Structure formats: structure tokens, C-alpha cells
Amino acid sequence: MKVGNTHYRSIWFDAEKAKVMIIDQRWLPHEFRVVELDGLDEFATAIRDMWVRGAPLIGATAAYGIAIEMQRNASDEALDNAWERLNETRPTAVNLRWALDEMRKVLSALPESERARAAFRKAEEINDADVETNRMIGVHGLEIIKKIAATKKSGEAVNILTHCNAGWLATVDWGTATSPMYHAAAAGIPLHVWVDETRPRNQGAQLTSWEMNSHGIPHHLIVDNAGGHLMQHGEVDLVIVGTDRTTASGDVCNKIGTYLKALAAHDNNVPFYVALPSSTIDWTVDDGVREIPIEERDDREVTHVFGRLEDGSVASVQISPDGTPGGNPAFDVTPARLVTGLITERGVAEATREGLLELFPERRDAA
Ligand code: MRU
């Protein structure tokens, strides 16, 4: 998507520098910093410490991480070690493991001498495919927004609530939850987006708001607890969120707080959609609440907030008393029964095993 007049992806290979470049998301919206990633250690740090984040993007980054490591050492041992190092960085988003498996499948079948080039080809393929997948999510999601727009008076906006950042910054481009919004805006449908701030790291406040601003989509930033109230007063037409892992039966694991939005949406008959590339489906898992590992992050993310001071500098400030410990589960699971539909690159599925298998019949034998 565009930053100013320039088209950016959130990650790319700069052929002139022969380096992988990323937008370092820790500094947004206050500073737009592009940095290069060098060596396996730095790739692992960038994922773990959330210079890049969002399920599809951490998979795409890991793919390049393997490619960079194959340039240094293309042995089986180095490949396995890189797989392990990158896989352990963040436990919840299954796209990470998916991308690592895709890389290893291709590379382990090749002689060492061919691995470095093949790894870059495969990483580029994974990145390009992510862009097209998310574009298609937008094409299918647009139909949902169009139907709601058709029930509105002329010029009246469709109000969409979203949580966290499932935008283009969380993918290679387009975003998952935001792709239908960008498509709807391009189709001239009046839109308004309620952006949940998404404590503790404020991905909504810092990243989704920045995206909405950059693309001229009318929006308001709201505190995480406002959604239920807005739904009770008819101010939300639909919810669209992303996901870090979706089970074969349609349970959805996403940023902490998503479950409460789904409960409020259910209670108020507001459609609750989840947008995802099929690489986010974990076909080996059925019961999301019991089986999906939930990342616990540093309690400093809860006791401190990061932002811009009045003098223009950016800083982290403590908001709780000395000695109060924070608890920081980073994701929660929304049971399939609360999900209206799963917007995938192949169309919109019912959030059930059968619904998913209708769109992905090649999984039937494996299921
Ligand atoms: O901890 P984060 O910022 O990586 O969490 C991101 C989310 O929860 C997104 O909603 C999810 O990855 C879907 S991104 C298209």
C-alpha cells in the first residue's frame, strides 16, 4: 500500500543492496523507519521483539531468514537449526511454522550447492503469494460490505469495528481484515472504521490508525472497552478481525480481547467476520481453547506504554505503581459458534469443519 506517494510492502528484498528490508513497526506512527535485516540472529530478534508482527508477516520474514542463513551455511544441520531458532520466536501464529515447513520441504530435497538460490526463490514466492492471497480476501470481503451498504441510505457509511492490526503492516501487503475495507473504499462505498486501541501494545492506536490515516479512510480510535456500548447503540454494522491460528473446526485465535468483541457482537446481532489466508488454518488442531499455545509476553508491555511526549521525542512511561506485576496473555480464542464467517482467499466459509472443507476439499483426506 502507499506511504505518501510511494508503494511499499512491509518486507522486501533489495536486490541492489542484496539485503532484506523491513518497516520497523516499533516506531510507528511517530517515525517511519526502514531497516535491513542481517543474519539469522537479527531475523529471530525482529520477529520476537516485534519489529515485524502479524501472523502472515512473521511467516514471510521467517522465510527470508532461512534464505539468508542458507547463503552462510546450506547444510542440513544449519537448516534444522534455523527452523528451530525462528520457530521458537513466537508460539501462537501458525503461519510462522507453515512458512518454515514450506521452506524446509523445498530445501531438504536439494543438494547443498543449490539451496541458497532456491531458498531466495521460495521466500520470494511465499511473499508474492501472500500479496495475492490478501488481495483475494479483499475481493470476497467486499461482497459482504456491499450487501450491508445496500441496506443504508445513500451516502450513509458502513461502520466496521476492527481489533489489533490485521492491516497491510501485518501481512506483506493489503492486510487481511483491512483488505475488504481498502477494496470497499476503492469501490466508492462510504466507510467508517472503529479502531480498537488494542492494549497492551496498542497495535490499533499505533498501526491501524496510521494505515487508515494514510489511506484517507474515516475512522475513530476507541478504547478497547467501547465496542460493546457502540454495538448496543447500533453504531457497528459488522466486525472484521484477523487471526493468528484458526482450527480445523473454525475456532479463531487472535489478539487478546477479540473474544470479548465476539461475545458483544453475538449479543447484539452484529455480524462477526474473521479474515485469514489459508496458511493460518491449523488443520491439526480442533479445540482452540485447549490446544492453541497462547504467547505470554513481558509484563512491561502492560505496566508501561510507549508514545510521543510533548517535546516530540518518543518514550516509554510507567503507568502502574512500582512493584505491581503485570499479566500479559497476548492472544485469546473465539469459539467458532461466535463467528459469522471466515473470509479466505477462496471465498467465505462457515466457521465449521464442513464449511472449511468445502473451500479446501484437498484437505478432506487429511482430515
Ligand atoms: O502480536 P501481533 O501484533 O503479532 O498480533 C497480530 C494479530 O493479532 C493480528 O490480528 C493477526 O496476526 C492477524 S494479521 C493479518
Side-chain angles (χ1 to χ4, degrees):
M1 302 294 288
K2 291 244 165 128
V3 180
N5 286 324
T6 310
H7 180 264
Y8 277 91
R9 287 182 174 188
S10 57
I11 188 168
W12 67 96
F13 183 68
D14 183 324
E16 250 168 53
K17 289 188 179 149
K19 296 278 182 208
V20 175
M21 314 297 291
I22 58 157
I23 298 169
D24 186 341
Q25 301 187 21
R26 291 171 301 167
W27 303 99
L28 286 170
H30 311 298
E31 291 172 30
F32 182 76
R33 288 195 194 179
V34 170
V35 298
E36 54 188 50
L37 293 183
D38 225 355
L40 184 61
D41 282 348
E42 200 166 48
F43 275 80
T45 302
I47 297 172
R48 192 185 47 245
D49 294 349
M50 294 174 68
W51 309 3
V52 288
R53 27 68 51 204
L57 179 56
I58 62 181
T61 307
Y64 276 129
I66 295 272
I68 291 286
E69 178 64 357
M70 290 298 93
Q71 275 186 327
R72 194 191 65 83
N73 179 350
S75 66
D76 284 346
E77 203 189 349
L79 179 57
D80 289 345
N81 174 55
W83 190 102
E84 292 292 345
R85 285 284 311 284
L86 292 163
N87 188 52
E88 71 194 10
T89 52
R90 295 200 71 191
T92 301
V94 78
N95 306 59
L96 178 58
R97 194 185 68 203
W98 171 85
L100 290 168
D101 283 347
E102 289 286 299
M103 293 296 290
R104 186 155 66 179
K105 203 162 55 194
V106 168
L107 299 176
S108 55
L110 295 174
E112 281 184 28
S113 59
E114 290 175 23
R115 285 182 181 170
R117 281 186 59 184
F120 269 100
R121 266 201 312 272
K122 184 67 188 169
E124 290 276 298
E125 189 187 304
I126 287 174
N127 276 257
D128 290 347
D130 187 68
V131 177
E132 178 56 14
T133 294
N134 295 320
R135 191 185 69 76
M136 285 310 297
I137 287 172
V139 168
H140 297 301
L142 170 61
E143 295 307 312
I144 295 167
I145 299 177
K146 266 189 188 161
K147 278 196 190 119
I148 295 174
T151 67
K152 298 265 176 189
K153 291 194 203 99
S154 156
E156 202 186 342
V158 176
N159 286 298
I160 304 176
L161 183 141
T162 192
H163 191 67
C164 195
N165 173 261
W168 71 267
L169 289 167
T171 63
V172 180
D173 208 349
W174 286 106
T176 57
T178 57
S179 185
M181 303 177 203
Y182 291 132
H183 279 80
I189 297 174
L191 280 190
H192 169 263
V193 181
W194 296 112
V195 179
D196 281 351
E197 62 178 346
T198 319
R199 279 283 288 148
R201 283 189 69 107
N202 288 320
Q203 289 94 329
Q206 296 177 338
L207 306 175
T208 306
S209 303
W210 181 78
E211 287 194 22
M212 297 288 117
N213 252 336
S214 313
H215 293 88
I217 297 184
H219 62 287
H220 281 88
L221 175 63
I222 54 174
V223 297
D224 289 327
N225 292 327
H229 164 79
L230 293 169
M231 290 182 205
Q232 284 175 324
H233 289 272
E235 306 251 17
V236 181
D237 294 306
L238 83 158
V239 178
I240 312 180
V241 296
T243 167
D244 291 80
R245 196 185 295 219
T246 297
T247 68
S249 55
D251 292 346
V252 165
C253 182
N254 190 47
K255 182 52 57 194
I256 193 78
T258 302
Y259 171 48
L260 292 180
K261 294 296 165 287
L263 282 174
H266 187 70
D267 196 42
N268 291 282
N269 291 318
V270 172
F272 184 92
Y273 284 95
V274 181
L276 61 138
S278 53
S279 52
T280 304
I281 306 170
D282 187 343
W283 297 94
T284 69
V285 166
D286 239 358
D287 182 335
V289 175
R290 285 198 173 66
E291 296 176 71
I292 297 178
I294 300 294
E295 178 178 9
E296 281 283 337
R297 293 189 64 85
D298 193 336
D299 66 354
R300 198 183 152 90
E301 292 181 351
V302 178
T303 58
H304 290 64
V305 289
F306 181 78
R308 186 168 59 197
L309 303 179
E310 298 215 325
D311 68 5
S313 59
V314 290
S316 176
V317 296
Q318 184 175 329
I319 57 168
S320 53
D322 288 343
T324 292
N328 193 7
F331 299 94
D332 62 24
V333 174
T334 299
R337 67 188 158 78
L338 300 176
V339 178
T340 309
L342 301 168
I343 311 171
T344 76
E345 69 270 27
R346 292 199 192 165
V348 181
E350 204 178 71
T352 59
R353 173 178 289 277
E354 202 39 48
L356 280 169
L357 288 174
E358 264 174 41
L359 285 187
F360 299 94
E362 68 274 22
R363 289 283 168 176
R364 241 177 233 288
D365 289 343

